[in-house]
Amino acid sequence: MRKLVAGNWKMNGNLAQLAELDAIAAAAEANSGVDVAVCPPFTLIVPARERAPGLAIGAQDVHAKDCGAHTGCISAPMLKEAGARLVIVGHSERRADQYEKDEEVRAKATAALAAGLQTIVCVGESEAQREAGEHIAVVTRQLQGSLPTERGSGELVIAYEPIWAIGTGKTATPEDVREMHAAIRNHVGKGVRILYGGSVKADNAAELFATPNVDGALVGGASLTAAQFVPIIEAAAGV
Ligand code: PEP
């Protein structure tokens, strides 16, 4: 499967920072065997598309309904109209900060796929759950609860992101990743890309990409600058 390297800018970036997209788009073009995407904050989706028309630009969340009385929310048809090609749902920061539950993640993923968006559903265990040996059971439960039953016309992608590895500089070992991605593959079957996320950097990317069932990466901090993100794209192309 082609690898997908997707950047999650979280609540970072401004118009000036879109200059980083020039070198990211050039790297995406030069490494055409890899799919590359950047998900900036909602307000930067349109200017990001204008700055880098060849690059896939996405969002970090979506509402489950198409329209209605949901102050502050953005729907899948709105994202499509803005030119977004993908969306991240169920990120652990939203599960923690906005109290999103599996059922809501599933509804969002269903709406996004129905709108034809590539939809990255995030799952991952806490440090305490891993230490208790519950990591596989926790992630399996999240998959059972979060994955849509209707696939729509969009592509479903899974991101395994151990919470303890996000933004901490700690990365799961290749053995941890191999074990979890095999369990996820077992659940979703062939043909669904499974990304790893959690402190992916230039110096650990190649080893992660060489791990069985790792079909790419969801990258937070290291996607904010081309200097850090481009080597990850190149590592994906080199596997
Ligand atoms: C993320 O937010 O999805 C993520 C993986 O962040 P970081 O790469 O900074 O750990």
Side-chain angles (χ1 to χ4, degrees):
M1 268 189 288
R2 284 169 67 85
K3 296 222 183 311
L4 168 62
V5 178
N8 172 14
W9 279 16
K10 310 192 186 191
M11 199 173 71
N12 296 297
N14 53 25
L15 287 174
Q17 192 158 350
L18 295 182
E20 297 293 328
L21 297 183
D22 299 356
I24 293 171
E29 207 180 324
N31 296 281
S32 57
V34 177
D35 292 333
V36 179
V38 172
C39 300
F42 288 130
T43 51
L44 294 177
I45 290 174
V46 171
R49 283 201 57 244
E50 287 166 356
R51 177 115 196 182
L55 191 64
I57 301 297
Q60 301 166 21
D61 184 43
V62 67
H63 196 277
K65 294 275 191 313
D66 282 357
C67 58
H70 303 287
T71 303
C73 299
I74 305 278
S75 72
M78 290 171 181
L79 290 180
K80 282 290 280 187
E81 192 174 61
R85 288 202 234 156
L86 69 151
V87 64
I88 300 165
V89 296
H91 192 283
S92 59
E93 287 156 11
R94 292 201 62 86
R95 289 179 187 262
D97 300 348
Q98 274 74 36
Y99 311 106
E100 285 187 9
K101 298 275 174 275
D102 287 340
E103 200 182 328
E104 191 179 351
V105 175
R106 188 201 302 258
K108 289 179 175 204
T110 303
L113 290 168
L117 291 163
Q118 185 182 50
T119 304
I120 302 176
V121 177
C122 301
V123 291
E125 81 285 358
S126 68
E127 192 152 33
Q129 288 165 333
R130 176 161 283 272
E131 278 168 6
E134 295 166 356
H135 47 290
I136 301 278
V138 166
V139 167
T140 302
R141 255 199 323 273
Q142 287 177 337
L143 291 169
Q144 282 163 346
S146 307
L147 294 190
T149 47
E150 298 150 39
R151 289 284 166 92
S153 57
E155 180 201 353
L156 174 69
V157 178
I158 313 295
Y160 167 57
E161 300 206 300
I163 297 167
W164 47 272
I166 296 179
T168 58
K170 293 186 194 168
T171 318
T173 65
E175 182 46 34
D176 294 339
V177 176
R178 192 203 56 72
E179 180 196 33
M180 184 60 83
H181 280 231
I184 297 172
R185 172 71 63 220
N186 214 15
H187 192 91
V188 298
K190 287 189 189 143
V192 174
R193 290 192 275 192
I194 306 171
L195 314 184
Y196 170 79
S199 298
V200 177
K201 307 273 183 249
D203 59 2
N204 59 20
E207 189 178 31
L208 287 162
F209 291 140
T211 305
N213 290 309
V214 174
D215 306 310
L218 183 55
V219 183
S223 70
L224 289 169
T225 61
Q228 292 185 80
F229 198 42
V230 168
I232 297 173
I233 297 167
E234 291 169 346
V239 176

